Amino acid sequence: MKALVWHGTADIRCDTVPDPTIEDGRDAIIKVTSCAICGSDLHLYDHFMPGMKSGDIMGHETMGEVVEVGRENKSLKVGDRIVVPFTIICGQCEQCRRGNFSVCERTNRNKALAETAFGHTTAGLFGYTHLTGGYAGGQAEYLRVPFADATHIKVPGGIPDEKLLFLSDIFPTGWQAAVQCDIQPDDTVAIWGCGPVGQMAIRSAILLGARRVIAIDRVPERLTMARAGGAETINLDEESNVVARLNDMTDGKGPEKCIDSVGMEAHATSSLDAIYDRAKQAVMLESDRPHVLRQMIMACRPAGVLSIPGVYGGLIDKVPFGAAMNKGLTFRMGQTHVNRWSDDLLRRIEEGQIDPSFVITHTVGLEQGPEMYRTFRDKQDGCIKVMIRP
């Protein structure tokens, strides 16, 4: 089959690789009908996340049709149409029973690596380094789904892939980011980053009743899409002091809730602290660039909430933790517990409350995948979200 394969920094190729096979009775094999390139994939593309090996198949936003089922899998049958969440879950461990699916205790087959890096293991993830199990990803013609009897989201026919695909990651990720804010009707929610997750967070915050949403980015087409979703915007190319601007917009009080949809690759030249981060990252004295995190801590109203769906991988420096403590801020973060939200979000799509396909700007075949990684990374050609049809 054809698949997008990691060969090193900024080196993704469309290769011919062996077809996946059933390895466990709970498995299923799907023929991929649609997949996508996620902003998190760019952390692998530029090799900011450790644990990638040459030959790894990329991708964790995938859906398709079941073509083979393991003998112990009683939940699926050939011909079922499913969305595959990026988090692999067993559905049986203590964390899964609590709904904490992204920290499933059983699905990371390299859990010793995760325990070394994080103290405890987290769930296995598709196409996302050997720290999270080294599972093949779904930017391919076929995908093996481990623990498929628990991991899948079964979806009905009659709704196009474009509306359903993002149940795999960015829609529940934006939704969880907003839910974690405990949004109240008089809240102002500030969202850093207007990429795909930021766009979903904007619409989720509004669906959940936020009085105002202020979105912060520097890419014109992203800001235009944010305004179309109901947000006020701050253009980083026109505003040198985001904290002061947010104070101006909120009568000096700051937003009650702040969402970091940027994570480890905050823009490297926007301020002195951002330049400092990039320099330390280059000599491996810091793994992530926490520029947005610093801004959120300073901007947030005392007793507010910081929600962090943006991916961080390791160690950060010069975070004003004293400000966070003295202001009484609450931090909520983590990979997304996709299956916790999927029933509700599928219902909202079916009822027409939201159509997540609004975020797609490019639809291509697998062969164009390597080119689209570059286009997406470099924010060229108005690219906000890439959908791939293998």
Side-chain angles (χ1 to χ4, degrees):
M1 68 171 184
K2 294 290 186 182
L4 298 186
V5 177
W6 191 89
H7 285 275
T9 304
D11 186 0
I12 304 286
R13 305 174 196 172
C14 185
D15 288 344
T16 298
V17 300
D19 288 357
T21 57
I22 295 288
E23 298 178 17
D24 182 90
R26 297 178 66 181
D27 286 358
I29 305 293
I30 67 166
K31 177 178 174 53
V32 177
T33 56
S34 299
C35 55
I37 302 175
C38 181
S40 298
D41 289 326
L42 298 182
H43 303 323
L44 310 180
Y45 183 63
D46 287 321
H47 208 187
F48 286 113
M49 284 290 289
M52 291 298 288
K53 297 180 181 179
S54 182
D56 287 343
I57 298 175
M58 300 287 293
H60 58 268
E61 292 181 299
T62 309
M63 66 177 294
E65 179 182 330
V66 176
V67 295
E68 190 174 358
V69 178
R71 64 178 59 185
E72 297 171 32
N73 187 337
K74 307 302 181 187
S75 300
L76 292 172
K77 64 180 186 303
V78 172
D80 282 343
R81 186 185 189 209
I82 64 171
V83 171
V84 182
F86 74 98
T87 48
I88 303 169
I89 65 172
C90 75
Q92 299 169 336
C93 70
E94 181 178 347
Q95 292 289 11
C96 282
R97 291 199 302 273
R98 291 171 179 260
N100 300 325
F101 298 112
S102 75
V103 288
C104 172
E105 297 168 329
R106 295 181 180 173
T107 56
N108 187 346
R109 59 188 178 184
N110 295 331
K111 63 183 300 183
L113 285 176
E115 288 168 349
T116 300
F118 306 133
H120 296 276
T121 189
T122 57
L125 306 181
F126 288 99
Y128 212 75
T129 90
H130 290 260
L131 274 176
T132 58
Y135 290 99
Q139 290 169 3
E141 292 180 300
Y142 293 90
L143 173 68
R144 171 192 169 231
V145 184
F147 299 91
D149 54 347
T151 294
H152 72 276
I153 302 169
K154 197 176 294 186
V155 293
I159 304 176
D161 281 16
E162 288 87 342
K163 291 187 176 183
L164 299 171
L165 173 61
F166 303 128
L167 286 169
S168 59
D169 182 351
I170 60 170
F171 186 19
T173 295
W175 182 261
Q176 178 172 294
V179 169
Q180 287 184 154
C181 287
D182 294 327
I183 292 172
Q184 302 301 309
D186 58 350
D187 274 351
T188 295
V189 182
I191 299 175
W192 277 255
C194 296
V197 167
Q199 298 292 343
M200 296 297 170
I202 290 167
R203 284 150 180 83
S204 297
I206 290 172
L207 277 172
L208 289 167
R211 182 173 65 91
R212 296 174 73 188
V213 174
I214 301 172
I216 304 151
D217 203 297
R218 64 176 358 100
V219 180
E221 51 269 25
R222 291 184 173 192
L223 292 168
T224 298
M225 187 177 282
R227 286 191 290 272
E232 303 165 60
T233 57
I234 295 176
N235 186 337
L236 290 169
D237 282 341
E238 299 172 355
E239 184 59 64
S240 60
N241 190 332
V242 171
V243 175
R245 178 64 179 142
L246 285 169
N247 278 332
D248 288 344
M249 296 174 74
T250 56
D251 297 325
K253 296 180 177 178
E256 287 89 355
K257 311 291 167 58
C258 298
I259 296 175
D260 175 0
S261 297
V262 177
M264 67 193 302
E265 289 190 71
H267 197 268
T269 58
S270 57
S271 64
L272 285 176
D273 72 302
I275 296 169
Y276 165 88
D277 286 332
R278 189 68 186 92
K280 286 198 72 173
Q281 190 180 50
V283 295
M284 302 181 71
L285 292 175
E286 183 176 36
S287 58
D288 304 4
R289 305 198 291 261
H291 171 64
V292 165
L293 189 57
R294 295 189 192 104
Q295 279 195 345
M296 290 208 308
I297 290 171
M298 300 309 292
C300 191
R301 185 177 301 196
V305 176
L306 308 184
S307 177
I308 307 170
V311 172
Y312 288 86
L315 303 174
I316 55 178
D317 191 11
K318 300 290 187 293
V319 171
F321 202 72
M325 183 273 169
N326 284 284
K327 291 169 71 176
L329 302 182
T330 296
F331 287 70
R332 302 187 72 183
M333 63 192 81
Q335 299 283 6
T336 309
H337 307 305
V338 175
N339 298 66
R340 185 189 293 183
W341 317 111
S342 52
D343 289 348
D344 182 28
L345 297 184
L346 177 58
R347 176 185 61 79
R348 290 175 186 271
I349 293 171
E350 291 177 314
E351 292 177 352
Q353 292 186 37
I354 185 169
D355 174 2
S357 68
F358 76 89
V359 78
I360 300 170
T361 54
H362 293 66
T363 301
V364 301
L366 268 180
E367 292 78 7
Q368 294 170 273
E371 172 190 345
M372 292 314 303
Y373 263 88
R374 287 189 293 275
T375 300
F376 183 34
R377 191 270 310 272
D378 296 338
K379 301 176 180 59
Q380 296 174 340
D381 194 29
C383 185
I384 296 178
K385 186 67 176 179
V386 180
M387 180 176 178
I388 298 174
R389 291 190 179 278

